[in-house]
Every structure is written in C-alpha cells, then in structure tokens.
Amino acid sequence: MKLDIIAGARPNFMKIAPIIEALEKVKDKIQYRLIHTGQHYDKKMSGSFFEELGIPDPDVNLEVGSGTQAEQTARIMERYEALLLKDMADYCLVVGDVTSTMACSIAAKKLGVHVIHVEGGIRSNDITMPEEINRMVTDAITDIFYTTSEVANENLRQLGHDESKIRYVGNTMIDTLLKNMPRLKQPTVFSELNLKEKGYFVMTLHRPANVDQEQKLKSLIDEIVKGAKGMPLIFPVHPRTAKMLEQIGIQADNLHMIGPLGYLEFNYLVKHAFAVVTDSGGITEETTVMKVPCMTLRDNTERPETITIGTNELVGTDPKNVAPFMKKLHSGDWKVGEIPNLWDGNTAHRIVEDLLKLV
Ligand code: UD1
C-alpha cells in the first residue's frame, strides 16, 4: 500500500511524528511518503520540530510559502496534484485542520485517492475560523476518520457518516507529549528571568479574531498583564502576531515577548507554569494532560473535552472577561481535571494497526 502523509504547518508536526515512527516498523507492508507542503517554512515554525521530534526529512517539499488562504490552497492543490499524477498513492493521510490538510484532501480525492483524516470530526461551529472550513471540507470527503473524542464521533454520526468509517483511537499529539516529557528542555529565558516553578504565566495569541485588530489585541494584553498581578508573563510570539505587536508597541514590566520556541522548550515552560493563556486549540489538550490551568481567549472550542474533562476554561474574546477568570485562578479555585479516554500515548500504534488491515 502506498500512503502519503501530509504535514504543512506547526501544529501538524507533533501529530505526524508518532505515526511516522510506528510506520517505520511496518515499511515492508506500507510504503509511506512524507510530504511537507511548505506552508510553514521558518526554522522556528518548522525545521526545529523535525529535528527535535526525530521526524525524517520530507520526501517532497512543495514549498508553497506564505500567501492568502486561497493562494496557499491553490498552490498546494496544484503542486500536490502534479506529484500524484507523476507518482500515484493509494491513501492520503492528513492531520488537523490547517490549510494544507484541506488542500491535499481535495487534490487527492479528486484523483480517486482515499482520504484518511486524523483528528476528524471536531467542530467549533464557528464558520469565521479558516480552520472550521478546513475541517468541514476535509471531513466531507474523508474515507476513514481517526478521532480524538466521543464528541467528534457524535458530530460525524450527526453528519451522516457511517459508523464503519469512524475509529476512536485517541490523540497523536498526546503520544508526542508523553513520549517527550522526560526530554523537555529548560529554555534560557527561565534562568535569564529567574522564573520560579508555578510562578509565571505562558501566553500565546495568533488567531485573526484576536490579533488582527490593533485595539482588541492591545486591550486583551492590557487585561492579561493586569490580571497576572506582577507575575511574569512569557509570550512566545507567532509571526502573525509579531507584525501587529510592532505597530502597537505594547510594553509592561512583567510582559516578556520572545520568539517562537521549539517543542521541548515550549512544553517545559507550560509544564512548570502557574497557568496558560492562549487562543490555540492544541495547547488546551497539552495543558489538560499536564494538568496546568488554561484560559482560552476564544468564544468557542472544537475541543470541548478540554473543558468538560480537562483544565481549560473558555474566557471569550471580550477583554472585560479576563479579570473574573484571573481572580478564580489566583484564589486557587481552578479545577484539577482528568485526562480524556485513550489519550494514553498509544494512539499512533492503534492507527497503524488499523491501517495494516487495509493492506
Ligand atoms: C496556521 C494554521 C493554524 C495554526 C497555526 C499555528 C491555517 C488556516 N492556520 O495559521 O490553524 O494554529 O498555523 O502556527 O492553516 N509565517 C512566517 N513563517 C512561517 C510561517 C508563517 O513568518 O514559517 C507568517 C506568514 O507569512 C503569515 C503569518 O505568519 O504572515 C501566518 O501564517 P499562515 O501559515 O498563513 O497561518 P497561521 O496564522 O500561522
């Protein structure tokens, strides 16, 4: 069986790493080809993850680079289609919800290649998010869903997908986290700022809804800075946010803006943090497993289990909402949380066992 594995942007890399590791053991039965679309291309957004997580160099890099949503989608589709026409695959495995996920699914499916979606079925029901459109389109043409939660299974059933296509296997991102827990690496900022365990916040912001409007971004950061009550806030800044922050020129004594961190350093910081403030989806899964309180600056989430089971709370995007959650956090009232079923480090193994049945 010939299988294409697609990876394009930062949150994809930790999801494919354990799948590739498991595939390496069955190379005689499944021939895989790793395709990097080049959506993320900076060393800090891409290359460093390959090195740290031991992902082999991609067999092909489509080198699409930056662009609007449509430009990136179009370039990825054109280049992936050309690759398939030269050398066809039987299956195309995509992960997550980034532009590369959707673009490759479409190109594959139109050529009769079966689509496998890892992390299928999750929904924020917020159609203004590019990721939601990517999820909907990808799932509409997916042949096999590997899911992370019961909620995802139910969403897929409601959409009319046959039970036989839905396989609840757990979370490959958590495979990577659990495997790398003993290797987490203290970043230099830890000693430079003399950080204390459970004595600082980690913050990440990159969603267009939060960072593309100058005033909104400024008010949000102001409220977080105030709510931190002098505790250091470590803010590894995504390239999208950096562009806007330069224009605003925001400053505060306890706000420390640094460049994007590698995987091992970022998760070290999260593990030892007092709390995390984020608008990412994936980070809420990692904080759930590490049992670190997490405040999500979004009005919705496609990962409700991080709230109902884990340590996450939805704060919303209105800056006024930050203060009450900060109060709860400082009073020590935050929930401890549990770990969702099958987020146990063995998900990629289950996926590959299942893929072998297709051979
Ligand atoms: C993408 C994903 C999002 C994910 C995020 C994590 C989509 C629709 N969104 O959003 O789900 O949470 O990645 O990082 O796919 N840039 C660089 N260097 C890079 C990559 C990007 O400077 O290596 C710049 C781009 O030029 C652009 C901005 O960062 O200005 C945004 O990049 P883009 O890939 O378009 O989307 P993200 O916002 O990163």
Side-chain angles (χ1 to χ4, degrees):
M1 168 174 136
K2 283 171 79 175
L3 171 71
D4 280 351
I5 310 273
I6 309 294
R10 187 169 60 177
N12 287 166
F13 306 136
M14 47 294 245
K15 292 173 193 168
I16 61 151
I19 300 175
I20 289 187
E21 192 183 333
L23 282 171
E24 278 290 312
K25 297 184 190 130
V26 296
K27 267 168 119 171
D28 51 328
K29 300 196 181 75
I30 300 176
Q31 287 85 51
Y32 80 87
R33 174 167 71 172
L34 174 56
I35 297 162
H36 192 324
T37 64
Q39 180 183 341
H40 282 181
Y41 46 84
D42 281 352
K43 173 127 175 99
K44 285 186 166 175
M45 299 294 287
S46 171
S48 77
F49 289 82
F50 277 71
E51 282 167 22
E52 287 189 328
L53 302 178
I55 306 170
D57 286 340
D59 297 291
V60 180
N61 192 324
L62 302 177
E63 293 180 348
V64 298
S66 296
T68 65
Q69 295 279 324
E71 283 166 353
Q72 280 182 327
T73 305
R75 264 185 244 143
I76 296 168
M77 285 178 65
E78 260 179 23
R79 294 180 194 184
Y80 183 45
E81 181 189 58
L83 180 74
L84 284 172
L85 288 173
K86 237 177 25 200
D87 190 1
M88 197 52 81
D90 302 309
Y91 288 87
C92 169
L93 182 149
V94 295
V95 298
D97 55 19
V98 302
T99 301
S100 304
T101 309
M102 176 188 73
C104 287
S105 310
I106 299 173
K109 190 70 184 176
K110 289 205 172 194
L111 289 174
V113 176
H114 302 290
V115 175
I116 300 171
H117 188 194
V118 174
E119 201 190 90
I122 62 176
R123 291 289 185 278
S124 66
N125 298 312
D126 175 359
I127 196 76
T128 66
M129 289 173 70
E131 292 83 357
E132 184 71 356
I133 299 172
N134 296 339
R135 291 180 201 117
M136 291 166 70
V137 174
T138 305
D139 283 348
I141 52 175
T142 289
D143 297 283
I144 300 173
F145 300 96
Y146 290 118
T147 65
T148 50
S149 71
E150 282 295 355
V151 180
N153 300 343
E154 194 46 38
N155 290 340
L156 291 168
R157 286 182 202 118
Q158 295 282 332
L159 285 164
H161 290 288
D162 194 82
E163 196 68 38
S164 63
K165 292 163 64 181
I166 308 170
R167 295 158 202 191
Y168 178 28
V169 287
N171 193 326
T172 61
M173 193 161 166
I174 301 307
D175 285 9
T176 296
L177 182 67
L178 294 177
K179 180 180 173 202
N180 286 288
M181 209 66 111
R183 298 177 61 225
L184 298 183
K185 210 163 67 191
Q186 192 180 84
T188 53
V189 67
F190 204 92
S191 54
E192 279 164 12
L193 295 175
N194 198 16
L195 299 178
K196 300 278 178 288
E197 289 207 3
K198 306 293 165 196
Y200 62 91
F201 284 80
V202 175
M203 145 174 180
T204 81
L205 286 178
H206 77 283
R207 298 235 167 254
N210 287 332
V211 308
D212 285 1
Q213 297 161 36
E214 208 171 306
Q215 196 45 46
K216 172 91 165 279
L217 179 61
K218 188 173 177 333
S219 309
L220 268 176
I221 296 179
D222 282 345
E223 284 297 325
I224 299 165
V225 164
K226 242 193 309 174
K229 293 200 173 150
M231 268 195 204
L233 273 159
I234 314 303
F235 184 9
V237 180
H238 184 283
R240 171 191 276 281
T241 319
K243 287 178 193 165
M244 189 51 99
L245 285 173
E246 273 165 31
Q247 292 172 31
I248 307 178
I250 202 157
Q251 264 187 343
D253 284 349
N254 61 334
L255 177 64
H256 304 281
M257 293 186 262
I258 58 177
L261 288 173
Y263 181 83
L264 299 174
E265 294 188 328
F266 181 73
N267 281 296
Y268 181 98
L269 267 193
V270 168
K271 179 163 190 266
H272 298 287
F274 175 59
V276 171
V277 183
T278 189
D279 61 4
S280 154
I283 292 172
T284 67
E285 297 182 341
E286 291 166 337
T287 49
T288 281
V289 170
M290 290 190 269
K291 304 214 165 182
V292 174
C294 181
M295 293 168 49
T296 293
L297 302 181
R298 287 174 52 189
D299 295 317
N300 47 62
T301 175
E302 61 289 339
R303 293 164 163 90
E305 65 282 359
T306 63
I307 296 171
T308 54
I309 303 174
T311 54
N312 187 23
E313 291 275 14
L314 265 195
V315 173
T317 56
D318 184 341
K320 284 202 297 290
N321 291 357
V322 173
F325 282 94
M326 283 289 189
K327 194 168 164 218
K328 188 170 172 188
L329 193 59
H330 287 289
S331 70
D333 258 356
W334 209 267
K335 57 192 170 179
V336 179
E338 296 294 330
I339 297 175
N341 191 23
L342 295 185
W343 292 18
D344 58 0
N346 294 315
T347 296
H349 176 72
R350 285 190 280 270
I351 290 175
V352 172
E353 283 294 302
D354 195 62
L355 289 177
L356 284 170
K357 293 184 197 150
L358 302 170
V359 174

